[in-house]
Amino acid sequence: MTQKISALLEAAADRALPVVRGIDDGQLDRRTPCAEYDVRALVNHLFQVVVNFQALAAREEADFSQEPDFVTGDWRGRFGAETARLVEAWGVPGAEEGTTGQMGLSARTVGLMVLGDLTVHAWDLARATGAEFAPDPGVVEEVGPGLAALAPQAREMKVFGEPFPVGAGATAFERVLAVTGRDPGWRPAGG
């Protein structure tokens, strides 16, 4: 049976929250596996995704044109509150049905997109800051095929890089990272 997006998001958030809460202010300018983002910019991006995908779950307009600075005040606590709202939004009856967003994608596909972002960006942040991160196996099992299916369009939109080559012995999560254009062995310079 296919797991509900809200349950998967809850499992992904449980793994992502310790990474985000463990980021020290002195680490905000570190490079991440996302070449265009340092830690601060990636936290801001992830906040923006979490907030906008709450709106998409409710069939409301999402605004990705602005890049607000969420890394102020108690941003670590607010990230926990926003991920809880995300889980709640996708748990509303009917949230996974029909279509949502400007591209008219199936709501379940959109839910898998935010699940992928939460999981992959938690890994990005963990790698950049030296934190431990192991994704939930059920999340990886569900998100892997979805991201692989979205990959060609995501590359056209410059959201994913070219696939990173991995060997036959790569784990399921290493394959997820590779399909998004990430080197699963990425470490910060000198790290």
Side-chain angles (χ1 to χ4, degrees):
M1 180 177 155
T2 304
Q3 287 191 54
K4 289 184 60 81
I5 293 293
S6 59
L8 292 163
L9 284 168
E10 186 171 23
D14 285 348
R15 303 290 177 105
L17 287 171
V19 173
V20 172
R21 288 181 176 145
I23 297 171
D24 183 87
D25 286 347
Q27 297 174 316
L28 292 171
D29 62 351
R30 288 189 178 180
R31 289 183 51 239
T32 72
C34 289
E36 67 273 18
Y37 293 120
D38 64 8
V39 170
R40 174 187 298 275
L42 189 55
V43 168
N44 276 320
H45 169 72
L46 189 53
F47 252 110
Q48 182 181 35
V49 165
V50 166
V51 168
N52 276 311
F53 277 78
Q54 293 169 34
L56 290 171
R59 306 304 190 273
E60 297 169 359
E61 289 298 316
D63 181 8
F64 287 95
S65 65
Q66 304 293 318
E67 292 188 11
D69 186 6
F70 292 98
V71 185
T72 61
D74 180 22
W75 59 270
R76 293 165 190 87
R78 280 196 330 275
F79 186 78
E82 292 297 347
T83 56
R85 285 186 192 99
L86 179 71
V87 170
E88 185 179 317
W90 283 96
V92 170
E96 292 186 43
E97 298 169 11
T99 62
T100 189
Q102 293 178 336
M103 294 173 62
L105 295 173
S106 81
R108 181 150 180 98
T109 297
V110 172
L112 289 172
M113 290 167 66
V114 70
L115 181 66
D117 266 28
L118 187 57
T119 303
V120 171
H121 290 322
W123 177 85
D124 291 331
L125 291 167
R127 281 296 165 105
T129 62
E132 292 294 318
F133 177 75
D136 180 273
V139 168
V140 173
E141 183 179 319
E142 194 73 34
V143 84
L147 290 183
L150 290 170
Q153 185 176 11
R155 282 190 198 95
E156 279 181 30
M157 298 172 65
K158 308 287 188 231
V159 176
F160 286 2
E162 289 303 312
F164 189 87
V166 291
T171 68
F173 187 56
E174 288 169 339
R175 287 191 297 278
V176 166
L177 295 170
V179 82
T180 69
R182 286 164 174 79
D183 172 359
W186 188 94
R187 298 268 185 233

